[in-house]
Amino acid sequence: MGRPSISEQRRIEIGRALQTCVVRNGSYESTSVKDIAQEAGIATGLIHHYFTNKDEILLLMADASLLSVFNLLEDLLHTRQDTPRREKLHELLSDENQSRFVLTLYHLSLSMPEIRDLILARREELRESLTARLRRSQAFSGNPEETAYRLVFLLESAVAQAALESSPLLEELLLQALQEAFPAREA
């Protein structure tokens, strides 16, 4: 895979600027294209060279953020030792800005069908991936669909909770559920 083009890099920079502004301003609605341009360090008019509107920027970052969170869970499952697994989960849940942005996306999904569809599609991909891994696991003896559903629910709950406050108890619940489904080994 090659390096992203200058245009792709600029789109990502603009998307990150939107994410920063949304978290800082407390909402998507109170974030203007001018705010995004200032955060990205470019002229407001240049944003329209890369995106047709603010919603298009949001969709780019929504997809990237959800993919990032779900990929982190996949990394957690591939981590076979307890201590690194705990560290990775803590890293995921301690990124307050990421959690706040994801929580904002869930809120926006109530009024923006494109965001809702994106969240549901990413959630289903993750559930299918977890279900398939559980079916292949010789150490797992439960219901793969039910366990995958529970893990995704706990992950989403933990990320949403992390936007509000640190929750070691929720972190432990998620770790316990991960351990039951995908046992880690001690170092």
Side-chain angles (χ1 to χ4, degrees):
M1 183 176 214
R3 294 177 62 192
S5 70
I6 299 291
S7 180
E8 290 169 356
Q9 289 175 357
R10 182 60 73 166
R11 286 174 55 87
I12 292 166
E13 290 169 11
I14 293 168
R16 288 186 181 136
L18 172 126
Q19 185 173 356
T20 299
C21 290
V22 166
V23 170
R24 182 180 56 231
N25 296 343
S27 76
Y28 174 69
E29 294 81 8
S30 65
T31 297
S32 68
V33 172
K34 182 179 177 183
D35 294 335
I36 298 165
Q38 285 177 336
E39 183 66 33
I42 61 173
T44 303
L46 195 53
I47 287 193
H48 296 292
H49 174 74
Y50 295 101
F51 296 96
T52 55
N53 56 40
K54 189 171 80 166
D55 288 354
E56 190 179 334
I57 306 168
L58 178 68
L59 283 170
L60 171 78
M61 287 315 293
D63 191 37
S65 293
L66 293 170
L67 187 60
S68 173
V69 168
F70 293 157
N71 282 342
L72 243 156
L73 179 62
E74 285 288 336
D75 288 348
L76 282 167
L77 300 178
H78 289 292
T79 303
R80 302 305 294 170
Q81 295 178 336
D82 189 52
T83 301
R85 186 180 274 182
R86 283 179 182 282
E87 290 168 356
K88 285 180 187 262
L89 181 60
H90 183 72
E91 176 187 332
L92 169 67
L93 298 180
S94 65
D95 187 345
E96 190 176 300
N97 288 335
Q98 177 78 2
S99 293
R100 285 184 177 179
F101 187 69
V102 170
L103 187 59
T104 299
L105 293 175
Y106 278 77
H107 171 75
L108 290 171
S109 73
L110 300 173
S111 60
M112 296 179 75
E114 301 91 350
I115 299 294
R116 183 183 140 277
D117 292 346
L118 185 60
I119 289 170
L120 293 175
R122 287 287 181 214
R123 179 188 293 162
E124 187 57 29
E125 287 172 22
L126 181 59
R127 268 202 303 254
E128 287 175 5
S129 172
L130 290 172
T131 299
R133 287 196 62 201
L134 288 165
R135 283 189 178 132
R136 289 190 306 266
S137 173
Q138 295 175 355
F140 181 74
S141 61
N143 180 324
E145 291 84 7
E146 183 179 301
T147 300
Y149 189 90
R150 182 168 45 104
L151 286 171
V152 171
F153 174 79
L154 285 172
L155 172 69
E156 289 178 327
S157 298
V159 169
Q161 180 66 30
L164 304 172
E165 66 178 341
S166 175
S167 179
L169 178 58
L170 194 51
E171 218 171 284
E172 280 302 315
L173 287 171
L174 186 51
L175 276 168
Q176 183 180 11
L178 287 169
Q179 180 65 16
E180 288 171 11
F182 301 99
R185 294 184 295 269
E186 289 302 317

